[in-house]
Amino acid sequence: MSIPSDRQSEVPVTTVEHLADDAVIVDIREPNEWAAGHAPNAIHIPLGELPSRLDELPDTDDTVGIVCRSGGRSSRAVAWLTQQGFDVANVEGGMRAWQSAGKPLEGEHGDAFVL
């Protein structure tokens, strides 16, 4: 899944302000990042597993937000997923922006801490 950096600027984008607190988003971070804190209804599919787990993407008529820690990895994932025909958007600022906006977080070990 290699996308040239000049193509990454063309990917669809959304902001955490445009997502409901209970939005279903796809979190592509690594397992340790996920465990530190994630959106309550997020689906965890690490970036490296994304090509083999496409069937786990939400089946919805709405655009699906794709999130990582700060937006870089998710931008590459969105570029690739868009090429595969999926209606997805990069969550600008990633989970850092989610946390900064005061959106709810869940953690695997009690308190959630993303930053």
Side-chain angles (χ1 to χ4, degrees):
M1 176 180 9
S2 178
I3 303 294
S5 59
D6 62 325
R7 295 277 313 211
Q8 293 176 32
S9 62
E10 301 172 14
V11 301
V13 175
T14 190
T15 64
V16 295
E17 292 79 19
H18 286 102
L19 294 170
D21 288 356
D22 62 351
V24 175
I25 59 177
V26 176
D27 190 324
I28 62 161
R29 296 176 299 151
E30 294 301 313
N32 63 320
E33 294 174 292
W34 167 265
H38 54 270
N41 290 326
I43 297 168
H44 185 224
I45 305 175
L47 180 60
E49 298 175 17
L50 194 55
S52 65
R53 294 177 61 186
L54 292 176
D55 60 331
E56 296 178 42
L57 292 173
D59 184 18
T60 177
D61 292 332
D62 297 326
T63 301
V64 175
I66 307 295
V67 68
C68 66
R69 183 173 180 213
S70 60
R73 288 173 285 176
S74 54
S75 177
R76 291 191 311 272
V78 167
W80 184 78
L81 287 166
T82 300
Q83 288 180 345
Q84 306 311 307
F86 290 93
D87 183 11
V88 294
N90 185 30
V91 178
E92 191 172 59
M95 287 305 296
R96 285 182 161 183
W98 183 276
Q99 184 178 28
S100 293
K103 298 272 191 178
L105 290 167
E106 293 180 354
E108 298 295 311
H109 307 289
D111 291 341
F113 182 74
V114 173
L115 296 178

